Amino acid sequence: EIALTQSPVFQSVSPREKVTITCRASQSLYDGLHWYQVKAGQSPKLLIKRATQSVSGVPSRFSGSGSGADYTLTINPFEAEDAAEYFCHQSGNVPYTFGQGTKLEIK
Amino acid sequence: EVQLLESGGGLVQPGGSLRLSCAASGFTFSDFAMSWVRRAPGKGLEWVSMIINRGADTFYTDSVKGRFTISRDNSKNRLYLEMIDLRVEDTAIYYCAKDGWASSFDNWGQGTLVTVSS
């Protein structure tokens, strides 16, 4: 099973600040690292697919980078509506796995 | 517009059973793999099971193997999760999710709550 470790687990962020969340896999991922946003009381929403590919309808301030075992989600600039939890997910190997999550709140 | 609507959750005693259903619309259901993902209270997301588009192949996380069975009826555009021998640790919101590019989950239902408690 591929373990995904996210950091930070929690961050308080000021509006207009640049935020980066990292996701480190226990082994190299050849494909299939994705990012989701989960707002309180809502279902997850796909933000970035295949590490770097944008998703229709997602604001351009969300971007992804990385390869191998290390990946990053960047929000630039952070807006109040981006207060939520963020999860990375790998679909290269079964069982699929998620990172433990990163909670971002407004400072 | 893609829509996924789960049903079948509820309160059940440990050792009990439930059958979850997910009604899909807005896309050609038979063309896509589907998964169940859950979120326990205070915890993160956990992938539970997946079924390939024609239903020939199924996959499970270790903690539910032998207790949960995923299936689909492509003629009815429905996904199912049969759960037996339920445990307190199975308590969670269960989401059905549609496979997208590179098996990202590009659409999710609103979830159905399963509570296992005596």
Side-chain angles (χ1 to χ4, degrees):
Chain A
E1 175 174 317
I2 297 177
L4 299 178
T5 303
Q6 288 182 231
S7 64
V9 173
F10 175 86
Q11 188 170 350
S12 187
V13 186
S14 299
R16 298 180 300 281
E17 187 179 333
K18 178 181 177 180
V19 179
T20 58
I21 300 170
T22 64
C23 178
R24 173 162 287 179
S26 57
Q27 64 188 73
S28 184
L29 304 175
Y30 298 102
D31 198 358
L33 188 287
H34 321 291
W35 291 95
Y36 302 86
Q37 177 192 63
V38 186
K39 292 186 177 181
Q42 296 185 19
S43 304
K45 173 186 175 182
L46 179 65
L47 292 178
I48 299 290
K49 57 189 177 185
R50 292 190 74 185
T52 62
Q53 295 181 2
S54 59
V55 173
S56 176
V58 174
S60 58
R61 62 181 181 275
F62 292 93
S63 63
S65 63
S67 63
D70 294 300
Y71 298 86
T72 299
L73 173 69
T74 300
I75 309 172
N76 188 25
F78 184 83
E79 297 189 1
E81 66 186 37
D82 301 333
E85 292 180 278
Y86 294 84
F87 294 89
C88 58
H89 156 229
Q90 70 80 21
S91 61
N93 288 75
V94 172
Y96 293 169
T97 48
F98 289 88
Q100 79 274 36
T102 295
K103 186 173 184 177
L104 301 180
E105 72 163 27
I106 288 287
K107 186 181 291 184
Chain B
E1 178 193 4
V2 172
Q3 290 196 329
L4 300 169
L5 185 62
E6 302 94 336
S7 60
L11 174 63
V12 62
Q13 292 187 337
S17 303
L18 277 177
R19 188 195 198 202
L20 306 184
S21 179
C22 173
S25 61
F27 65 103
T28 305
F29 181 71
S30 58
D31 283 350
F32 293 91
M34 298 290 294
S35 283
W36 288 96
V37 177
R38 67 185 178 184
R39 186 169 195 184
K43 303 289 188 180
L45 297 171
E46 181 185 26
W47 173 81
V48 174
S49 181
M50 175 175 68
I51 186 166
I52 304 303
N53 55 348
R54 301 299 174 185
D57 291 309
T58 57
F59 304 89
Y60 301 91
T61 192
D62 283 350
S63 64
V64 308
K65 283 180 182 175
R67 301 187 300 121
F68 289 12
T69 302
I70 191 171
S71 62
R72 63 192 297 161
D73 185 336
N74 287 340
S75 68
K76 295 182 179 179
N77 290 349
R78 286 213 175 232
L79 175 72
Y80 302 101
L81 187 68
E82 189 81 38
M83 305 184 293
I84 66 170
D85 190 22
L86 282 161
R87 304 167 181 171
V88 171
E89 55 265 33
D90 295 318
T91 295
I93 298 173
Y94 285 73
Y95 299 97
C96 68
K98 171 184 166 290
D99 244 40
W101 186 252
S103 294
S104 59
F105 297 137
D106 61 2
N107 286 275
W108 298 66
Q110 87 292 343
T112 187
L113 177 62
V114 172
T115 304
V116 184
S117 175
S118 54

